[in-house]
Amino acid sequence: MGNTGIYVGLDIGTTSIKVIVAEYVKGQMNVIGAGSERSEGLSRGVVVDIDKSVAAIQQAVRQAERKTNIEIQKVTAGIPANLLEIEPCQGMIAVADESKEINDSDVRNVAAAALVRNLPPEREILTIIPDEFIVDGFDGIKDPRGMIGVRLEMHGILLTAPKTVIHNMQKCIERAGLVLDELVMNPLSLGKLALADGEQDFGTVLIDLGGGQSTAAVIHDHKLKYTYVDQEGGDYITKDISVVLNTSFDSAEKVKRDYGYADSLQASSEEDFPVEVVGKEAPVTVNEKYLAEIIEARLTQIFEKMNQSLRKVGALDLPGGIVMTGGVTALPGIVELASDVFEHNVKLYIPDEMGLRHPSFAQALSLINYTANLSEIDLIVQSTLKGNYATNKSNYTAKQVVKPDSEQFRPANNQTATQKEASEPKKERFAGIKKFISNFFE
């Protein structure tokens, strides 16, 4: 499957904005060019200053246009999973055509019936994903068009998000002079790119470590089942380095990128590097191991909170293990550290497109991949949402995020005594650093 044409992915992140232009031909993605600009006006993945965000988006778009010699108009953008709610939906209609042959109009009507629901005023439906169609009691149908039937049903999944988050993102894109083709939930598109078909089917935890926040998503049976967002990301690691080493934020970021390790066991105590310290004329010498301990302390805290959340829903019982991506995963040793904390198989996803072989480009690429591979039936169902068929009433009690099925997702605690003993010395070693950092941020 795959549509043919030029697609543009716009990843509006907390620390950087990336624009990737690619051509899709017979299911193959050919990247033409990309642009990247330091992000402004965003905090923890959410737009907080529209004017600054618009300026940064325009800069990134102009970079991509110069490299590709293509005028960019339509884009597919991603939206973070902050306060995401996932809930099932279903609709049923009588087939309208006299011949009883199901057509596009019937599909739109049954999707519209599934969208009729009460929503609190602060929330908005982001997308509707059809799971199956049922024609006169026969289920498991992916595309009912052309079939003969009297009654048509659709079962699917609704993703809703805060109206403010959606509106501000749309406003930024429109004011940047762009047309929003699709607005996609980030974990949804990322799962389609980073996970193999079997991993999406049997179940896998996908972790995206970004600059502004860290997101864990459970993909099972090719569906997004659960998300967890930690409002700590790469920026928190940089702030920790800045405070502990008494250096500027920019200097701390450079030190992290050039000398940082996620796992202190891989860093050397004999390798030193200079750090510019506030209030001192001469740089101070710091060794790699000390820097790694600062980084590891924050990453361990992020992973431990994720681990607790994922174990509550039994997601770590899934056979697909854990797949990580995002800019922070470029730190050496992060797979080993995550394996120690989660006590589970962990692997890293890095795009293999020329010039984009860095995990920070995964999200923008996934947006292109997601849009280019939407089927006709997906496009018809989503066009119903764009036609404003959904109702919005205030007398509604918000539902919680849909948790994975309890029988398929049973909590597990497989940590052995040997593993616990091995982890104790490392915990003691970081206790002092954690306590110091907590005085500033916790």
Side-chain angles (χ1 to χ4, degrees):
M1 193 190 299
N3 304 306
T4 299
I6 303 293
Y7 295 88
V8 181
L10 174 61
D11 177 22
I12 305 175
T14 304
T15 56
S16 67
I17 293 176
K18 293 179 173 61
V19 178
I20 297 178
V21 183
E23 181 181 24
Y24 242 86
V25 180
K26 296 181 180 179
Q28 294 295 319
M29 181 195 300
N30 301 310
V31 176
I32 303 172
S36 180
E37 183 70 18
R38 182 165 180 80
S39 187
E40 296 285 346
L42 283 97
S43 176
R44 298 175 179 178
V46 178
V47 175
V48 294
D49 189 317
I50 291 179
D51 291 336
K52 288 183 178 180
S53 299
V54 168
I57 292 170
Q58 289 174 332
Q59 288 290 337
V61 168
R62 277 195 285 268
Q63 284 185 33
E65 288 179 332
R66 285 195 297 268
K67 293 177 181 178
T68 61
N69 198 29
I70 292 175
E71 183 182 356
I72 296 174
Q73 295 179 334
K74 296 173 64 176
V75 299
T76 297
I79 189 169
N82 299 46
L83 301 177
L84 170 68
E85 290 185 2
I86 310 169
E87 60 178 283
C89 66
Q90 64 182 56
M92 181 178 67
I93 63 163
V95 178
D97 195 281
E98 292 183 1
S99 66
K100 301 305 177 185
E101 182 174 313
I102 299 169
N103 54 30
D104 291 0
S105 179
D106 294 314
V107 173
R108 278 190 288 269
N109 288 337
V110 74
L115 287 171
V116 175
R117 61 190 51 243
N118 294 323
L119 284 178
E122 71 277 5
R123 298 197 68 81
E124 186 173 321
I125 297 174
L126 178 65
T127 190
I128 178 172
I129 304 170
D131 183 19
E132 67 169 351
F133 293 88
I134 303 173
V135 178
D136 293 344
F138 293 94
D139 59 3
I141 299 170
K142 296 301 180 183
D143 188 346
R145 292 175 300 168
M147 296 182 176
I148 300 295
V150 175
R151 187 178 73 248
L152 175 64
E153 299 175 59
M154 187 193 84
H155 291 186
I157 295 173
L158 277 181
L159 303 182
T160 68
K163 187 174 291 185
T164 301
V165 175
I166 297 174
H167 172 79
N168 289 347
M169 191 73 72
Q170 291 172 333
K171 196 73 174 178
C172 287
I173 295 168
E174 291 170 2
R175 287 184 56 179
L178 303 170
V179 176
L180 182 59
D181 189 22
E182 296 287 343
L183 188 60
V184 184
M185 186 61 64
N186 283 338
L188 190 64
S189 63
L190 196 55
K192 299 290 184 183
L193 179 72
L195 304 183
D197 184 74
E199 290 173 330
Q200 295 181 54
D201 188 12
F202 288 94
T204 303
V205 175
L206 177 63
I207 296 177
D208 180 16
L209 298 178
Q213 58 188 20
S214 304
T215 305
V218 178
I219 311 292
H220 182 243
D221 195 22
H222 293 270
K223 301 182 186 71
L224 178 63
K225 294 292 186 73
Y226 175 76
T227 60
Y228 167 80
V229 179
D230 188 337
Q231 300 297 342
E232 297 179 13
D235 277 356
Y236 272 74
I237 298 173
T238 306
K239 288 177 183 177
D240 291 347
I241 297 171
S242 175
V243 169
V244 176
L245 301 185
N246 197 27
T247 187
S248 67
F249 185 88
D250 290 340
S251 176
E253 180 68 22
K254 186 177 186 304
V255 164
K256 182 182 73 173
R257 292 177 183 272
D258 293 346
Y259 306 102
Y261 283 84
D263 189 349
S264 62
L265 297 178
Q266 297 188 21
S268 172
S269 58
E270 299 177 357
E271 295 291 334
D272 298 331
F273 55 89
V275 177
E276 296 179 359
V277 175
V278 176
K280 294 185 179 181
E281 294 183 3
V284 173
T285 301
V286 178
N287 66 61
E288 285 184 353
K289 194 170 189 66
Y290 185 60
L291 175 64
E293 289 177 347
I294 300 170
I295 296 172
E296 184 172 353
R298 176 62 67 176
L299 280 173
T300 300
Q301 178 173 299
I302 293 173
F303 287 154
E304 284 176 347
K305 286 190 288 185
M306 276 188 179
N307 186 42
Q308 183 179 7
S309 175
L310 292 170
R311 287 193 182 279
K312 282 182 179 179
V313 296
L316 295 181
D317 281 346
L318 295 171
I322 297 172
V323 176
M324 294 197 307
T325 190
V328 178
T329 60
L331 287 168
I334 196 162
V335 171
E336 290 78 6
L337 177 63
S339 298
D340 288 343
V341 176
F342 291 108
E343 300 172 356
H344 217 285
N345 179 47
V346 179
K347 71 177 184 178
L348 185 62
Y349 173 78
I350 301 175
D352 57 6
E353 280 73 13
M354 187 68 71
L356 303 177
R357 290 170 181 165
H358 191 278
S360 64
F361 287 103
Q363 183 59 64
L365 281 169
S366 75
L367 296 170
I368 295 174
N369 178 73
Y370 182 85
T371 306
N373 285 285
L374 285 173
S375 66
E376 285 187 18
I377 203 72
D378 290 326
L379 292 171
I380 292 172
V381 170
Q382 291 188 17
S383 70
T384 307
L385 182 60
K386 294 175 183 178
N388 295 320
Y389 282 82
T391 60
N392 186 9
K393 301 178 183 178
S394 58
N395 58 337
Y396 174 79
T397 302
K399 295 184 178 180
Q400 297 297 316
V401 174
V402 172
K403 300 295 194 323
D405 183 80
S406 58
E407 292 185 1
Q408 296 175 337
F409 296 77
R410 291 179 181 172
N413 184 4
N414 298 323
Q415 188 176 31
T416 63
T418 304
Q419 290 170 327
K420 288 181 180 178
E421 291 171 4
S423 65
E424 284 305 319
K426 184 177 286 187
K427 291 180 180 178
E428 292 176 4
R429 201 163 64 246
F430 299 135
I433 294 176
K434 281 188 177 181
K435 184 176 180 181
F436 179 76
I437 292 172
S438 66
N439 292 333
F440 290 86
F441 300 116
E442 303 304 328

